[in-house]
Amino acid sequence: MDSIRVERGDITHYAVDAIVNAANRSLLGGGGVDGAIHRAAGRELLEACRALHGCETGQAKLTRGYRLPAKYVIHTVGPVWQGGTRGEADLLRDCYANSLALASAEGCETLAFPAISTGIYGYPADQAATIAAETVATYLREHPQSSVRQVIFVCFSDATAKLLQSAVDKALCRG
């Protein structure tokens, strides 16, 4: 099985092939992870994102990393939590699966994810962790030809890291 790790840290400091940005639909920057990535990457990232003309929830688009140590940024738009009855789980799964597929299409071997939708979008962190871990583990298991060899979940808080580590351990046991 390919490597899946959970770490506490700042995703903007990771020297991986691609980092995933938990973006808003405009792709023009915002708060949280999105704002931090835009600040660290520099103005060139904003210009590249303008040319993408936004992104739909669950989808993913790619730019260069510019001033980041990562070669690429994969921008994905997570769902806003609305109680769990409006397809949020499927949309969140799509964020992870589409980001992995895009990374593989670019030949990326290493990929770092934040905890998508768990900040201002209000997705319950425990449910989001399970979806993230299961989707990544399933994708890697079902796509052995993928170039992606290592996925790192980079968590801003210890609490999120613990939830994700538990979810990853369970997802890997199922495989």
Side-chain angles (χ1 to χ4, degrees):
M1 170 53 91
D2 296 289
S3 176
I4 302 173
R5 289 195 335 244
V6 177
E7 297 182 4
R8 188 178 177 294
D10 180 342
I11 200 166
T12 66
H13 295 162
Y14 277 71
V16 292
D17 293 326
I19 62 171
V20 176
N21 180 16
N24 60 48
R25 289 177 63 170
S26 75
L27 301 183
L28 301 181
V33 171
D34 190 18
I37 288 172
H38 272 268
R39 285 188 298 277
R43 183 111 183 118
E44 298 92 344
L45 181 62
L46 179 61
E47 296 307 316
C49 285
R50 273 199 180 103
L52 296 175
H53 306 290
C55 184
E56 294 301 315
T57 304
Q59 298 305 304
K61 294 189 175 182
L62 181 106
T63 62
R64 289 184 32 226
Y66 299 99
R67 297 181 191 165
L68 292 162
K71 184 175 181 181
Y72 299 109
V73 177
I74 296 173
H75 307 269
T76 191
V77 181
V80 174
W81 180 254
Q82 298 178 50
T85 60
R86 299 197 177 180
E88 295 99 309
D90 289 336
L91 289 167
L92 188 57
R93 276 185 205 94
D94 288 347
C95 288
Y96 287 97
N98 289 328
S99 295
L100 284 157
L102 188 53
S104 185
E106 286 297 319
C108 297
E109 293 184 5
T110 54
L111 181 62
F113 280 103
I116 299 167
S117 284
T118 61
I120 194 169
Y121 284 11
Y123 210 108
D126 59 335
Q127 293 177 44
T130 298
I131 290 168
E134 288 178 355
T135 304
V136 169
T138 299
Y139 182 92
L140 293 175
R141 197 170 29 255
E142 292 179 356
H143 296 86
Q145 78 286 1
S146 173
S147 65
V148 178
R149 296 286 163 241
Q150 182 178 70
V151 172
I152 306 166
F153 288 109
V154 181
C155 304
F156 186 73
S157 72
D158 288 332
T160 301
K162 286 177 186 173
L163 286 171
L164 262 163
Q165 187 62 63
S166 176
V168 166
D169 292 344
K170 287 176 187 168
L172 293 177
C173 284
R174 287 188 193 112

